[in-house]
Structure formats: C-alpha cells, structure tokens
Amino acid sequence: LVSMGMDTKVALEMSTNFTRYKEEDGASIALSGAEGGAVPLDIVPPRSPTEEQPLYPPSNNNNRNNSSRSLQSESDRLAHMEQQRQAIKIFHHKQAEAAAGRRLPLGVSPAPRGSPGLAPPGGAAAASITSPLTLDSPSGAGENRSSASAVQQQLVAGGMDSIPSNRPYWQRAEQPGAESVSGRAFGAPQQPSPPPRLTASEIVSSLNTSATSAMTSSEGHLATSSTAQQQQQQQQRHPREIHVTTSSQGPTHLVEAKTVDAYDDLNFDEDDNVVYAETAPLSISHLLKEGSVRRLVGIGIVIMITIIIAVVLLVLRSSGGSDGDGEINPGGGGIGSTNIPTPAPTTLPTYLADDVLEVAFENSDPAAVLASGTPQHTAVGWLSTKDNMDPNGYGKAFVQRYAMVVLYFALEGPDWKDPEQWLDPNTHECDWMGENNIRCENEVVTGGRIITVLDNSRNQLGGTIPPEVGLLTALQTLKLSHNEIGGTVSPSMFGPNVAALDLSRNQLVGSLPTQLGGASSLESIDMSYNYLSGSLPSGIYSLRQARTINFASNQMTGTLQRSWDQMEVLNTIHLEKNAFRGRIPLLESAPKLDNIHLDFNQFTGPLPSLDTLIGRQHISLSNNQLTGTLPADSGMGDIVIRLQLRFLDLSHNKITGQMPVLLSLLPTIEHIDLSYNNITGQWPDESDLQESVPRLEFLAASHNQLTGTIPQGIPSSLEHFDLGYNQLTGGIPSSLYTEVTNLEILILSGNKMLEGTIAPELFTSLPKLRDFDCQECNLSGTIPNNGLASVTNLQILRLGDNTLEGVIPTVFGELRFLTHFNLKNNLMHGSMPTEMGKLTLMRELVLANNRFVGTIPSELGNLERLELLDLSNNDFIGSVPQGLCNSYDNLTYASLGCGVECDCCKDFGSTCL
C-alpha cells in the first residue's frame, strides 16, 4: 500500500484489517496475518454478485491501537515500506525475464502485457483450492518462477485464469481520529470502472517476491530511480476530491484522490493505476480546484460586474450626464443639451462663485448660506456650478432667480410630483412652469420679467417655506395648497404686494405672526385645514382690503374682537372647527359681510338680532352653546323686505322659540336647519309653505318639540325634508308626494303619534327619492309592491318599529342602489326572497323580530359589502350557506337566531336571540 503512494499511517491500519477483495466475475483472494512472517494465499470460490463485501472494513480504535504497537519506531516503518517497494520492482523484473526466456539486467524494458510468457490461459469453472502456498522462505529467481508456475497451474486447474490486480483502490477508510465517513470522490463517478485483469502467475510471483528479504544494491539503485519517476508522474495526474464528514470528533476533512502509475519506472503497464489518498482540512482553496466551482464563481463575478455597470449607468443617466464634481459636461450630453433640470449638489459645492455668494449674503442669513445642506447653501452651489445664466447680466433681477432656487430646495423639489422645468439652467425662472402656475410681467424701468403669480398646489411639496420667498417683491398671488408643507408661518410671506395667499391643507403649525396686519394689500388668505394654534393677531382686524379670511379646521383659540368696523369690504369669514369662545361679534360693524361660518366652536350668548342679518346671505352658527329665542315679531315688515338670507344653520344649540313664525320672516331662505334645539310651535291648518318660503330646498327641524300635523303646501322646490323625532300627529299629507316632485330625502321617524299607511303614490310620485326613514311612525298595512319599482335611486329604506304586515315584495331585487334596509319589529311574514341577493351594495340588513320562515337563500352570499346582519327572533331554519360566510369580508356583527346554524358567525360577534 505504501508503495502505491498511500499515507504510511493509513496503510499500516489497512494492512492489519485487510480481509477480502471481491470481484463479481472472478474469484476472491483471502489474505490474513500481520507484518512479517508467512503470508498464506487461499483461492476460494467466487461469491454471488449480490453479496457486497467492503474493500476495507471500518476500522476501530482497537485496530488502530494494535497497528500502532506493531511498529517499534519510525525507522522500522520506513524500512518496512522500502522493503515492499523493492519487492514489487523485483517482481516486475522477474516477470520480464520469464517472458524473454533469458536474464535481463536491471532497468531493461520488459515485454508488453501481450508477450507469450504472460498470456492469460483459458479458464473453466472455478473450484476451491484449499492447499495454501507458504512463501516465508524465498529463494532465487528460478524458484520464484517455478513457484509462480505451480500456483498458476493450480489457478488454471480451478478454472480461474487471471485475477484483477490493478483496479484503483476506492478509498473509503476513516481519517484517523474520526468516527464515521460518508461521501464519494467530488466530481468522480459512483463506482470506478472495471480495471484490466492480471494473471494468477503474476499475483503469485508478487506475493513470493514481497516475502523475499535479499535485495541487492543495484536493485536499490533501480528502486530509487523508479520512485523518482513515480513521483514525477503522480504530479501530472488530475486531482479528484471527496468530502469526509466526522460525526462528533475531529474536524471536517478533504480527501484528494490522485491516480498514479506505480510501475511506470519499469514500463510494465501504463494502465495499472492505483489511488493515492491524502487527507487535509477542507478549505476554499480545495474547492477552487474543482472546475465546476470555478465556473460558478466566474459566473457570479460576471453577474456582479454587470449589475455594478447597470447601476452606474442609471446613476449617470439620472444625474443628467454631469460629471462627478458637479460641473456641466461640455461634450453636449449634459444639462446644457436638454431641458431636464438637474438638482444641485447636496454636499459642499466644489465651487462657490463670488458674485452668487454676494447676492446670497445680502439677502439671506450668512450662517445659513455657509452651512452645508441648507437650501441656501445648496442654491448657491447650483447657481455656481450648474446654472448657465450670468448673474452680472441679470443685475438686481438675479435676486429673484436666487429666491426661486432656494424655494425649490426648501420645499423638497426633487420629490415633487411634477417638477416641470424647475431648475432648467438655460431658461428664465418665469418659464420653469406653465403660464397658469408662474405668471410674470415686464418691469417698467428695466424691462425685465418679474414674477407676480406662483401656484404650485397639489404637487407633493414638503419641507418648509423659506424666508427668501419675501424676495419675490412683485409677487401678488402665492398658492401652495394641498401639499405637505410643515413648519411655521413665516412673516416674509406677507409681502407688500401679496393680495392672495393660499396655504390650505398643509401641515403648518404654530401661531400666526403679528406681521400679518402689515399686509396692506392682502385681499384673500386661506390657511384652513392645518394645525395652527393661538389666537387671531390684532392686526388682522385692520386689513381694510381683506375680502375672504379662512382659518377653518385648525386648533385656534381665544375670543373675537367685537367690532370689525375697519374691515369695510370683508365678505366671507371661515372660523369653523376651532376652539374660539365668547360672544358673536357685532355683525353690523362689517356691513358687507355676507357669509359667516362660526360653527363648531364654543361661542355663547344670545343670537344676533334680526336687524343685524340685513344683507347677509349665509350664516352658520351650529354646534355652539348659543341661547336665546327665535324672532317672533311678524310686524317687522321693513326688515323682512331687506333680508336676503339664503342659508341659516342654528342646529345643535340651546335655542327656543317658534319655528313657523321664523319661516314667515325669511322669504328668501333656501336652506334652514334648526335641529337639536328646544324649538316648539305648530303650523296652522291653513298654512302654506309654498307661499311663505317658495325657494325652500332644505328644511330640517328634527329632535325638537314641534307639534301638530305635517304642514300642507310643501314647496315644490323642496329636496330635503326632516321633521323626525318631534311630536307630530296625523298622517303623511298627500301634498307631500303629489306636489313635491324633487324630494330626495324624507325623514319622519320618531313621531310615534303619526298614523296611516304607505300609499303607493309615495313612491310612484317621487322618482328622485333616495332616503325614506319612517321608523316609529305607527304605520300599518303592507309595503306597496307596485310602487317600489319607480324609486330606482332608493338607497335607504327604514320602516322598523311599526305594525306593517305582509311579505317582502320580490321587486326589492330591482333596487340595485339600496344600502340600508330595516324592517325590525313589525309583523312581516313569509320567506326571504331570493331576489335579495341582487342587492350587492347592501351594507345593513335588519329583519329582526318578525315572523319570517324558511331557509336563508344562498344568493345572500353575493352581498359582499354587508357590515350588519340581524335576522334574529324569526323562524328561519337550516344553516347559513357557505357562500355567505366566504363573502363576509366587511361584516362586523351578525345575529341569525337560534334556529340557524352558522359556523362562521362567531368570528364577527354573532348572538343567538
């Protein structure tokens, strides 16, 4: 084994445990014994091909210990190794002499394998040969040849002409110190190819010569020469690798398998290859020796390089073709050749022009100009390195360009939804957006273009508004609404020429600056839907040109100044949805104030007197804490004539008085809401609203204490009629559905003293009806079947808590826009029509506390938007269709009754009632 190139330590272990070498088509040779002494040879019958015998049985610790004790020292092992090598070489030389029929000097090339002396004889069936040959007393060459011939005759007689001997050893032994081994040669086949066969005489001669102890010095010279040739040829072989993994002890090893020609020094046979096995710790260098691994690594490197190149190209393309230091590419492929603006460097510019710095220092905070990353510093960098406009050619107008660049970076221009042509270095700043967004005029003195209108609304602006916006001295209109601008309100926004300022629906915080009162040209200001706090600055009441003031939906507090006499042209004020308190200001002090929105605040005190409403058109004071009584003097003829009020909302207060009288004083009213107050009164039987309020479109007085019957003579212009939760009596007047054809919403619920039935004309005469709510109206009879088909726009139908009878009309399936259907607490019966499955927009279905029977139709599974389902206290049976459960993505509550099985109902709070 050592002569074949195997590690000495491994070879010694194997030599003590070597048992059998099996060939499926030949005989097996059994060897036993230890180093030295006689080595018997037994020829045994061949085994069945199904019998698997290991080439090297697994070693154990006892075997390793025995092998360690077998050699006394390193010198013994080396001597033993050299003896085996020399024996094999002498064996080959003797075979060559036998083939030639004469003695040959050492080193002469032998005859090839096909020579007559070594031709394999024909064979017959194999038979056992039990007499072993002892080879412990070797003699000369002749005796060796005769012994070999005798053994060969015995093999031939037994039917075995040759035995394979140069089959590559397939190393699967353990690494010393490890417990288990698994795997095969990395990149090699599962099993080695069958090797050429060696004759029996060659095997016997090999055993005879390996036991011979006499060796000559000339043979030693030959051994040295052949060993050098063997090592040289071993280095020319290609390695193969297998992974050897230990179970619990020892590291992970790598086994390198190299094929070498053991006998190339004697030119015996170039194909007699054995395996040289060597173990070493597994490392990256070993893996890289494998061609497939190298190919994978190469492919990975190519992919990484491709990705890097693609990313670099994308970055260069997005930067507009500029070079790395921010300078414009003079080759024509950069900013100068296109209209696509390129942002300025976000880091410290490589060059700051003196003239640009001079403009910046004169108009901005020097600290902000020098601080890296600020909009001012970045603007200076862009104007110095990117801009193609000459500051000297601009003169004083260059300040405008500087202000626009600062505004761009301060409002996060690179992230805008549509930057259009902002920061185009080759165009005037007036052309950076369309004419509807940036409007310029020619200056009288210099003839230069100056910005008067800047509208950049709904463009996903962020950041904060810089003070440099005040450098746009000719600016008249600034609109930046519907964005995400934060920060506080800068005083510089209120320039001397600013007439319209719209910053609504942003994220502004803080209080309003006192400089607001200095905006003498301001006509309109809108900062609604922000997070402003504090009170209105006193200067706002001196804005003589202000026509519209809107600070709605903020967090402002404080009281309002009583007198607004300086606001001579004020027309509209929006202060709703804040936390203002105190009394309502004297409206007469602002003679042209037509639209007053002070709802959803904390105002207290009495209502304004009727004479202060002269000339007003829109007054909304709802959701406050106002008290007082409605006007009741019907003799105010002169005042009534001059009243032009069209919109009045006093809902959700603590107001008393008589509603019918008030309506008679408001002939121009179109919208009136007095809900959630303490208003009383009743309409006379002969009252005619068509005559007193002919323009009325919206009438709401729910949750009051109105009595009497529903008034006759409803105006034909009425669209919204809500008298719910009062104390009305009688039935629904026929004039309500015969004279009013535009009615869309009819709410009479909560009037428990009403009576009557639902006339079919209620539906047939109101084709625009969208909401009919008459719960707790003491209605009886049935739901008309023929009338429902006319109200195809019906969305809400609430008829619960009445004494209605009959069945659900099948025509309900035609109400495709129906979203809310409530019939609870009635006397309805029958089954649920399958046509209900057509109401795919349904969100609320309540049929509880009736007498419905039968099963729930599977078509109900089509109601995918259903949020509330209540079928309890009926006689429904069976189970909920599976499609119903699968469709309930939005369902939050369901109650189906105890007679219905529902596996999915527990998932959304179902109860059994």
Side-chain angles (χ1 to χ4, degrees):
L1 297 177
V2 174
S3 66
M4 297 170 186
M6 185 171 293
D7 181 80
T8 304
K9 192 172 183 180
V10 178
L12 290 176
E13 284 188 22
M14 294 180 179
S15 65
T16 59
N17 299 299
F18 190 78
T19 56
R20 289 185 296 272
Y21 181 90
K22 176 196 173 274
E23 285 293 329
E24 295 181 357
D25 56 350
S28 296
I29 303 174
L31 298 177
S32 63
E35 302 81 21
V39 181
L41 172 66
D42 292 332
I43 304 300
V44 297
R47 290 177 173 81
S48 171
T50 59
E51 295 182 37
E52 291 294 339
Q53 297 294 335
L55 178 60
Y56 299 113
S59 62
N60 52 55
N61 293 333
N62 293 333
N63 290 336
R64 285 195 291 270
N65 295 335
N66 293 335
S67 64
S68 298
R69 290 191 297 267
S70 64
L71 296 179
Q72 298 296 328
S73 63
E74 182 67 18
S75 60
D76 295 335
R77 286 193 294 271
L78 294 176
H80 183 71
M81 183 188 347
E82 185 64 19
Q83 181 183 12
Q84 290 181 339
R85 289 175 179 171
Q86 298 297 337
I88 292 175
K89 292 172 182 177
I90 294 174
F91 155 68
H92 291 159
H93 186 70
K94 297 300 183 181
Q95 283 186 323
E97 288 181 339
R102 59 186 178 84
R103 294 185 61 85
L104 295 174
L106 291 175
V108 176
S109 300
R113 179 179 293 275
S115 60
L118 297 177
S128 295
I129 301 177
T130 58
S131 57
L133 296 176
T134 59
L135 306 175
D136 53 342
S137 300
S139 58
E143 295 176 3
N144 289 338
R145 283 196 298 270
S146 61
S147 299
S149 176
V151 173
Q152 185 174 6
Q153 293 175 3
Q154 296 182 32
L155 293 175
V156 172
M160 184 173 180
D161 58 340
S162 63
I163 297 175
S165 64
N166 61 343
R167 169 174 176 167
Y169 290 96
W170 195 247
Q171 172 66 17
R172 296 185 66 84
E174 297 180 355
Q175 165 69 10
E179 287 189 358
S180 64
V181 164
S182 63
R184 63 185 179 84
F186 186 69
Q190 289 284 356
Q191 294 181 354
S193 302
R197 306 175 68 86
L198 191 65
T199 62
S201 61
E202 292 171 342
I203 295 298
V204 175
S205 297
S206 174
L207 295 173
N208 288 330
T209 55
S210 65
T212 304
S213 59
M215 300 179 182
T216 64
S217 58
S218 61
E219 291 171 349
H221 175 75
L222 175 61
T224 303
S225 175
S226 88
T227 302
Q229 295 179 9
Q230 174 184 348
Q231 293 177 352
Q232 180 178 2
Q233 294 182 7
Q234 287 177 359
Q235 295 175 357
Q236 299 175 357
R237 300 297 181 177
H238 299 288
R240 294 291 184 267
E241 300 176 0
I242 65 172
H243 291 80
V244 181
T245 305
T246 62
S247 60
S248 60
Q249 296 181 3
T252 299
H253 290 80
L254 178 88
V255 173
E256 293 185 353
K258 301 180 181 178
T259 59
V260 297
D261 290 334
Y263 313 126
D264 279 354
D265 53 351
L266 296 178
N267 296 323
F268 178 69
D269 189 1
E270 295 182 355
D271 295 326
D272 286 338
N273 297 335
V274 297
V275 172
Y276 174 80
E278 196 175 71
T279 62
L282 184 62
S283 63
I284 298 298
S285 61
H286 291 127
L287 292 177
L288 293 178
K289 293 179 181 179
E290 181 62 30
S292 60
V293 175
R294 291 195 300 271
R295 285 192 296 272
L296 290 176
V297 173
I299 293 173
I301 293 175
V302 171
I303 293 175
M304 290 180 63
I305 294 175
T306 304
I307 294 175
I308 292 173
I309 293 175
V311 171
V312 171
L313 292 178
L314 289 175
V315 172
L316 293 177
R317 183 177 180 181
S318 63
S319 64
S322 62
D323 55 20
D325 59 358
E327 297 293 334
I328 298 176
N329 188 348
I335 301 175
S337 62
T338 65
N339 292 326
I340 302 176
T342 300
T346 56
T347 58
L348 183 66
T350 57
Y351 171 70
L352 298 178
D354 292 338
D355 48 0
V356 177
L357 279 174
E358 182 179 356
V359 173
F361 286 148
E362 290 178 356
N363 297 278
S364 300
D365 182 6
V369 175
L370 297 177
S372 178
T374 62
Q376 294 80 5
H377 182 83
T378 311
V380 171
W382 186 87
L383 291 170
S384 301
T385 60
K386 300 290 185 181
D387 195 16
N388 291 338
M389 296 298 181
D390 184 10
N392 297 323
Y394 261 71
K396 292 184 178 180
F398 187 73
V399 176
Q400 175 179 269
R401 191 172 184 86
Y402 168 73
M404 291 290 283
V405 177
V406 173
L407 189 67
Y408 174 83
F409 288 109
L411 298 179
E412 302 177 355
D415 296 330
W416 291 355
K417 180 180 179 181
D418 185 8
E420 297 194 34
Q421 301 300 319
W422 276 79
L423 295 196
D424 188 337
N426 299 309
T427 60
H428 195 277
E429 59 271 15
C430 289
D431 301 323
W432 283 353
M433 296 186 76
E435 60 180 8
N436 294 327
N437 300 100
I438 297 181
R439 191 174 304 168
C440 295
E441 296 179 0
N442 293 328
E443 190 178 16
V444 178
V445 179
T446 62
R449 302 171 66 188
I450 55 176
I451 298 175
T452 58
V453 175
L454 176 58
D455 185 355
N456 203 357
S457 303
R458 303 176 185 271
N459 203 16
Q460 297 181 2
L461 275 62
T464 60
I465 301 176
E468 282 75 11
V469 70
L471 299 177
L472 304 176
T473 55
L475 190 64
Q476 299 176 9
T477 300
L478 177 61
K479 293 183 178 181
L480 303 175
S481 63
H482 294 80
N483 285 296
E484 300 176 0
I485 302 173
T488 58
V489 179
S490 174
S492 59
M493 300 178 190
F494 308 105
N497 296 315
V498 175
L501 179 61
D502 187 358
L503 301 176
S504 61
R505 297 185 183 274
N506 278 285
Q507 300 175 11
L508 300 175
V509 297
S511 58
L512 296 173
T514 57
Q515 289 85 349
L516 177 60
S520 57
S521 301
L522 193 62
E523 298 178 3
S524 173
I525 180 172
D526 188 354
M527 295 188 180
S528 59
Y529 294 92
N530 279 284
Y531 301 97
L532 300 175
S533 57
S535 60
L536 290 176
S538 58
I540 198 173
Y541 300 103
S542 61
L543 298 176
R544 295 182 178 273
Q545 302 298 323
R547 298 180 179 275
T548 301
I549 297 177
N550 190 348
F551 293 103
S553 296
N554 278 283
Q555 301 172 4
M556 305 186 71
T557 59
T559 60
L560 301 182
Q561 183 173 307
R562 291 287 290 168
S563 177
W564 295 3
D565 54 353
Q566 297 186 38
M567 308 181 76
E568 299 174 353
V569 296
L570 184 62
N571 177 268
T572 302
I573 184 168
H574 286 272
L575 298 178
E576 68 269 22
K577 297 182 181 179
N578 279 285
F580 292 112
R581 61 184 186 277
R583 302 187 65 176
I584 300 293
L586 299 175
L587 299 181
E588 63 271 17
S589 61
K592 295 187 178 181
L593 186 58
D594 293 342
N595 302 283
I596 304 171
H597 299 264
L598 302 177
D599 44 314
F600 291 92
N601 279 285
Q602 301 175 15
F603 291 113
T604 57
L607 287 173
S609 59
L610 192 62
D611 57 349
T612 62
L613 302 180
I614 296 176
R616 320 300 177 188
Q617 297 185 14
H618 190 122
I619 298 178
S620 181
L621 302 175
S622 67
N623 290 276
N624 281 285
Q625 302 176 20
L626 299 176
T627 57
T629 305
L630 295 175
D633 190 354
S634 60
M636 304 174 62
D638 183 60
I639 296 177
V640 171
I641 293 174
R642 290 185 294 166
L643 284 176
Q644 301 178 7
L645 192 62
R646 295 187 295 115
F647 186 102
L648 178 62
D649 188 353
L650 301 177
S651 62
H652 293 85
N653 279 286
K654 302 177 181 179
I655 301 172
T656 60
Q658 305 240 340
M659 178 179 177
V661 177
L662 176 64
L663 288 178
S664 63
L665 300 176
L666 304 174
T668 59
I669 197 71
E670 298 175 2
H671 181 115
I672 184 170
D673 190 351
L674 302 175
S675 304
Y676 292 91
N677 279 286
N678 296 318
I679 298 174
T680 59
Q682 64 179 11
W683 280 274
D685 294 338
E686 66 279 3
S687 64
D688 189 352
L689 294 179
Q690 176 66 45
E691 181 179 351
S692 59
V693 283
R695 303 178 184 177
L696 190 62
E697 298 177 357
F698 187 102
L699 174 60
S702 66
H703 295 85
N704 281 287
Q705 301 178 20
L706 298 175
T707 58
T709 59
I710 299 174
Q712 299 286 338
I714 304 297
S716 60
S717 58
L718 193 65
E719 299 176 357
H720 184 112
F721 190 34
D722 182 4
L723 296 180
Y725 294 95
N726 281 282
Q727 301 175 18
L728 300 176
T729 59
I732 301 175
S734 59
S735 61
L736 187 62
Y737 46 81
T738 58
E739 300 177 2
V740 184
T741 58
N742 294 321
L743 193 63
E744 297 180 7
I745 297 177
L746 176 59
I747 301 176
L748 301 174
S749 59
N751 290 283
K752 299 180 180 181
M753 291 182 286
L754 289 175
E755 58 186 17
T757 61
I758 302 175
E761 294 80 8
L762 179 65
F763 298 124
T764 58
S765 301
L766 301 175
K768 297 182 180 180
L769 190 64
R770 294 186 292 109
D771 184 353
F772 179 41
D773 190 343
C774 201
Q775 295 187 106
E776 298 182 281
C777 291
N778 197 25
L779 297 176
S780 59
T782 61
I783 300 175
N785 188 18
N786 55 349
L788 281 173
S790 302
V791 285
T792 55
N793 294 323
L794 192 64
Q795 299 178 13
I796 300 175
L797 180 60
R798 291 191 175 103
L799 300 174
D801 297 289
N802 287 288
T803 56
L804 296 174
E805 300 176 337
V807 298
I808 299 177
T810 57
V811 73
F812 263 95
E814 304 300 325
L815 306 178
R816 300 298 177 87
F817 296 101
L818 196 64
T819 60
H820 294 74
F821 183 37
N822 192 326
L823 280 179
K824 68 174 182 175
N825 296 322
N826 279 283
L827 303 175
M828 304 289 293
H829 60 273
S831 60
M832 187 185 304
T834 58
E835 289 78 5
M836 298 286 288
K838 299 179 180 180
L839 307 178
T840 56
L841 299 180
M842 184 71 69
R843 294 168 54 191
E844 176 183 311
L845 178 60
V846 180
L847 304 178
N849 296 300
N850 280 279
R851 300 174 181 175
F852 293 111
V853 297
T855 60
I856 300 175
S858 59
E859 289 78 4
L860 230 60
N862 299 329
L863 310 185
E864 298 179 354
R865 302 187 181 185
L866 200 61
E867 298 176 2
L868 188 150
L869 176 63
D870 191 352
L871 306 179
S872 59
N873 281 344
N874 284 284
D875 293 325
F876 289 114
I877 59 175
S879 60
V880 173
Q882 187 61 37
L884 195 65
C885 292
N886 297 337
S887 302
Y888 287 161
D889 294 335
N890 301 317
L891 194 63
T892 58
Y893 176 81
S895 181
L896 306 179
C898 299
V900 178
E901 297 180 1
C902 181
D903 296 334
C904 62
C905 295
K906 59 180 180 298
D907 298 332
F908 38 73
S910 174
T911 58
C912 175
L913 300 175

